[in-house]
Amino acid sequence: MWWDERVSARFRRNLQPTLTYWSVFFSFGLCIAFLGPTLLDLRCQTQSSLSQITWVFFSQQFCLLLGSCLGGVFKRTLSQSLLALFASSLAISLVFAIIPLCHNVVVLAVVMAVAGLAMGCIDTISNMQLVKIYQKDSAIFLQALHFFVGFGALLSPLIADPFLSDTNCILANGTANASSNLPHIRKSLVPHHPGNLSHYELPIKGMVVTRVSYAFWIMALINLPVPIAVFFLLYKERMVPCFNGSSHPLLSADELALETRPGDKDELSSAFALHCSPPGHQDLFSCCQSKNFQGASFTYFAVHITGALVLFMTDGIVGEYSGFVYSYAVEEPLAVVHKVAGYLPSLFWGFITLGRLISIPVSYRMKPATMVFINVVGVLITFLLLLIFSSSVVFLFVGTASLGLFLSSTFPSMLAYTEDILHYKGCATTVLVTGAGIGEMVLQLLVGSIIHDRGSYSFLVCGMIFGCLAFTFYALLVLFHRMYPEPSPGKRAPAWSPALGRD
């Protein structure tokens, strides 16, 4: 195996929880990507206008952000975390099953809000638990975690595609022009930003003809094993009601020797303290309580803020680029035909998923700080070249693939790096997940408004500015890292293992 025996032993010891968290993140990816391709069919199902149906996007994204903030509440104990993951993954299956029954846009928005809350909880809790289990070895497992969200996001549109309407799914008179432009409208829709689509008149009254319900029921069935896997983990940990007693065997002598490195014996000696006082990861609101700031240095706050700002920019770039690259390509000066331009978002997400897969072995050999540096510099250079060769269609495809690769591992690498700086204390995971969620929502809205006012070229200019800001914030994070005080040997956060007990 390409990793050392100590990491391998820890992975084997935590195999079931690790695989469970990865599967839950697949559920997250499945849910996050289905809305865009199916939105026009859902518009027909709810008989609503384009501007009304795009509020469903906003409902999901806003509640995803809220769920990310609140997710840390359920991390107080392992049982709370697993119960929250079980409820969230089950809620996603139920949402998929219920969506075909929603014939009112307000009801659909409420259902998607529930899905957003579930996704936010999954995002925060899964990242937190993997960091808690693996700590200094967490980078590789976080890269794998985020590969699964990319895999789910790729699979979801593929499932939906055979059931999408090729013509207008509301039969009414005078809809021929709109029907012929449905592929273009479908690819131009982004969250709460219908763009320049108001001149397309889509009927909202008439006979509804759509088969998209089958896609949602298929996704509900595909997702069903995920809550079952979480339930089995709850059962194994004796956290299902009516089951008591310890289920964790003690570590064997060989495993104990492998997991305990010289110099880290203090981790084992303080392990039982983990269950007497909860670790530093909390929900965003608990993190903001004044009692948590007592004795904290300036660099403590600076590391949290700059780390969140880096992800605010990079995740914001992911959101705005995937949302607007199609619209940029079909307009002057490139004027790419609609069918060809439609491959750009898929290419972008495909290379994000490929990059996350490649980053799994790379992250074992390379430090998270180095990976983040390569990522932000790569994003900056890619946008610079896209601006220089802005009239080249070929380079737009090359640049889109390059951007996907460089952005792919930024989030897990930044999370591992920041947690390492803070020695797995503080509120880094919650703050970073929240910052990334805010960036993805805010920058998409901002860029949409700028493109509407200034034209399509501003799309690349905004990306260049965001890339420069991401690099600046990363440089500040490195500076604050050097200023951050090292803990005394006896105060390091203990490594978690199920053999040492549970909540």
Side-chain angles (χ1 to χ4, degrees), residues 8 37 63 155 246 273 290 320 502:
S8 178
C63 288
L155 185 62
S246 177
S290 59
E320 61 95 6
R502 71 173 189 277

Side-chain angles (χ1 to χ4, degrees), residues 75-79 129 132 237 239 248 267-279 494-503:
K75 198 260 172 198
R76 308 286 177 133
T77 65
L78 180 61
S79 59
Q129 289 298 325
K132 181 179 178 181
E237 301 295 328
M239 293 173 183
H248 300 298
E267 292 184 354
L268 190 61
S269 64
S270 58
F272 290 100
L274 180 65
H275 307 287
C276 299
S277 58
W496 183 88
S497 169
L500 298 174
R502 71 173 189 277
D503 305 291

Side-chain angles (χ1 to χ4, degrees), residues 117-438:
L117 286 172
M119 293 159 63
C121 289
I122 287 172
D123 196 7
T124 300
I125 293 172
S126 297
N127 280 292
M128 280 183 173
Q129 289 298 325
L130 278 183
V131 169
K132 181 179 178 181
I133 292 172
Y134 293 103
Q135 296 205 358
K136 286 187 177 295
D137 301 314
S138 62
I140 180 174
F141 300 98
L142 289 172
Q143 297 289 354
L145 181 74
H146 287 265
F147 163 75
F148 279 99
V149 72
F151 178 63
L154 270 182
L155 185 62
S156 186
L158 294 176
I159 296 170
D161 186 66
F163 302 101
L164 300 179
S165 300
D166 295 324
T167 59
N168 203 306
C169 45
I170 295 182
L171 300 181
N173 294 328
T175 61
N177 177 59
S179 297
S180 64
N181 287 288
L182 275 181
H184 170 64
I185 298 172
R186 194 185 303 279
K187 293 180 176 69
S188 298
L189 279 170
V190 292
H192 195 47
H193 235 291
N196 297 321
L197 301 175
S198 56
H199 56 283
Y200 293 109
E201 294 185 5
L202 295 176
I204 60 175
K205 298 294 182 183
M207 182 183 294
V208 177
V209 182
T210 176
R211 298 184 301 136
V212 77
S213 300
Y214 297 108
F216 292 116
W217 287 329
I218 290 171
M219 284 188 278
L221 288 174
I222 290 174
N223 188 72
L224 195 58
V226 177
I228 294 174
V230 181
F231 179 82
F232 277 127
L233 183 58
L234 278 165
Y235 179 82
K236 179 190 175 186
E237 301 295 328
R238 295 292 191 266
M239 293 173 183
V240 179
C242 303
F243 289 91
N244 296 305
S246 177
S247 64
H248 300 298
L250 295 176
L251 286 171
S252 68
D254 290 339
E255 289 174 322
L256 187 60
L258 285 169
E259 291 203 22
T260 308
R261 294 168 291 180
D264 285 345
K265 292 180 181 178
D266 55 285
E267 292 184 354
L268 190 61
S269 64
S270 58
F272 290 100
L274 180 65
H275 307 287
C276 299
S277 58
H281 305 102
Q282 303 169 52
D283 62 285
L284 188 65
F285 305 107
S286 298
C287 287
C288 295
Q289 293 177 4
S290 59
K291 66 180 181 181
N292 294 322
F293 300 153
Q294 294 176 2
S297 63
F298 162 75
T299 51
Y300 172 87
F301 300 101
V303 167
H304 280 88
I305 293 170
T306 51
L309 286 173
V310 171
L311 290 183
F312 179 93
M313 293 299 163
T314 55
D315 268 49
I317 291 172
V318 171
E320 61 95 6
Y321 195 89
S322 62
F324 292 105
V325 65
Y326 171 84
S327 300
Y328 168 74
V330 297
E331 295 184 13
E332 296 294 339
L334 295 176
V336 181
V337 295
H338 294 169
K339 187 174 182 179
V340 175
Y343 292 115
L344 283 166
S346 300
L347 179 70
F348 181 66
W349 282 108
F351 271 82
I352 283 181
T353 305
L354 177 63
R356 286 170 176 169
L357 182 62
I358 294 171
S359 297
I360 295 172
V362 171
S363 61
Y364 180 70
R365 300 294 180 185
M366 191 177 293
K367 292 182 178 179
T370 305
M371 293 187 69
V372 176
F373 174 77
I374 293 172
N375 289 336
V376 294
V377 171
V379 168
L380 201 56
I381 293 174
T382 300
F383 270 118
L384 179 61
L385 293 175
L386 282 169
L387 283 169
I388 293 172
F389 300 103
S390 59
S391 59
S392 171
V393 175
V394 173
F395 195 80
L396 177 61
F397 278 82
V398 173
T400 298
S402 171
L403 203 59
L405 280 176
F406 285 121
L407 287 167
S408 61
S409 60
T410 305
F411 185 98
S413 299
M414 177 59 68
L415 181 57
Y417 177 42
T418 310
E419 285 283 13
D420 193 42
I421 294 173
L422 297 170
H423 311 294
Y424 311 96
K425 300 177 182 178
C427 305
T429 301
T430 303
V431 173
L432 265 60
V433 170
T434 304
I438 294 174

Side-chain angles (χ1 to χ4, degrees), residues 87-98:
S88 298
S89 55
L90 183 61
I92 288 176
S93 284
L94 292 175
V95 163
F96 282 136
I98 291 172

